[in-house]
Amino acid sequence: MELAYYSDYAVRLVNSEEPLRGKDTLTSVEAVRDLFGVNRSAARRATDADVTRFRSVRARLRSVFEAADGGDETLAVDLLNSLLLEFPVSPQISGHDFRDDDGRPLWHMHLADHPSNATAGYAAIAAMGLAFHLTEYGVDRLGLCEAAPCRNAYLDTSTNRSRRYCSDRCATRANVAAYRARKRLEADRSQNTGRAAENAQRATANGER
């Protein structure tokens, strides 16, 4: 499994909350376990205590995205480094589930489950995945959705670094809102132009009397 895969752990955790909408799905141990996806063995270690711990890690990961989105590259790196120091990873070479044509293992790097608790394991994987993405593609590839009030985190994998929204749904919503805003502006300008013409005609008529 490539290290780039693990960056999605950070995105999933950050997006379990939408602060501007007052939404938070991270309210139970079941919600914590769902964040692990297919990694059910690690998910089973989660307890009620992990809910609060996951929220703390989530806030710190969001701060990384906020710093990157705000153009503060150094702060984003410093925040991520603090997570890496607190939650070190345990890398291993693995070949399970991947075979070449001759049946030999396709060796790849794998981040082993953390032995202490579910939060430490998830945080280590999320931070390492995000660090890999940041160093491989650049800090500007970490973004927050511009379709307010969404502000979900995303990883820009576009070829021209043009991504601005977390999903097609948000992109469509933002484009529709921008189109309507332009139409309102055009209507206002047309109305103002009409009023100005009427006022000019009145002034001319009054001057001729």
Side-chain angles (χ1 to χ4, degrees):
M1 188 177 297
E2 296 181 359
L3 291 179
Y5 163 83
Y6 294 112
S7 58
D8 190 53
Y9 276 61
V11 173
R12 286 205 302 268
L13 179 52
V14 171
N15 292 347
S16 66
E17 180 186 30
E18 295 183 60
L20 297 181
R21 286 177 170 153
K23 293 183 179 180
D24 187 351
T25 61
L26 193 54
T27 57
S28 66
V29 66
E30 288 77 18
V32 169
R33 289 171 179 160
D34 286 344
L35 289 170
F36 283 91
V38 297
N39 193 352
R40 305 315 299 172
S41 60
R44 283 193 290 270
R45 293 206 309 271
T47 67
D48 290 332
D50 285 300
V51 176
T52 300
R53 291 196 290 253
F54 261 66
R55 286 178 171 177
S56 176
V57 172
R58 179 179 64 188
R60 294 171 66 183
L61 285 170
R62 176 169 281 279
S63 294
V64 175
F65 278 92
E66 288 175 342
D69 188 66
D72 196 334
E73 184 171 339
T74 301
L75 178 58
V77 170
D78 287 345
L79 292 171
L80 191 50
N81 272 336
S82 69
L83 282 164
L84 291 169
L85 287 172
E86 186 173 344
F87 302 104
V89 297
S90 300
Q92 291 181 346
I93 299 174
S94 176
H96 64 82
D97 300 331
F98 296 92
R99 301 280 171 172
D100 62 16
D101 294 337
D102 296 326
R104 295 176 301 183
L106 293 175
W107 301 112
H108 57 275
M109 291 302 299
H110 174 80
L111 301 184
D113 293 338
H114 203 283
S116 57
N117 59 66
T119 301
Y122 194 100
I125 290 173
M128 187 60 194
L130 200 57
F132 175 82
H133 193 93
L134 185 151
T135 54
E136 185 73 8
Y137 302 107
V139 177
D140 58 338
R141 293 290 188 147
L142 278 59
L144 292 173
C145 186
E146 293 185 12
C150 178
R151 302 300 284 168
N152 272 348
Y154 65 83
L155 299 172
D156 186 359
T157 56
S158 63
T159 55
N160 57 355
R161 300 174 183 262
S162 61
R163 186 170 178 179
R164 298 166 56 198
Y165 307 105
C166 69
S167 64
D168 290 340
R169 180 181 179 182
C170 276
T172 299
R173 182 162 56 85
N175 289 334
V176 169
Y179 173 79
R180 289 175 177 171
R182 286 196 302 271
K183 287 300 181 181
R184 285 195 300 270
L185 182 59
E186 290 172 3
D188 290 342
R189 286 176 176 171
S190 177
Q191 189 176 36
N192 291 336
T193 300
R195 288 173 179 170
E198 290 177 3
N199 292 336
Q201 289 175 354
R202 290 196 190 99
T204 300
N206 291 333
E208 292 175 348
R209 290 176 185 173

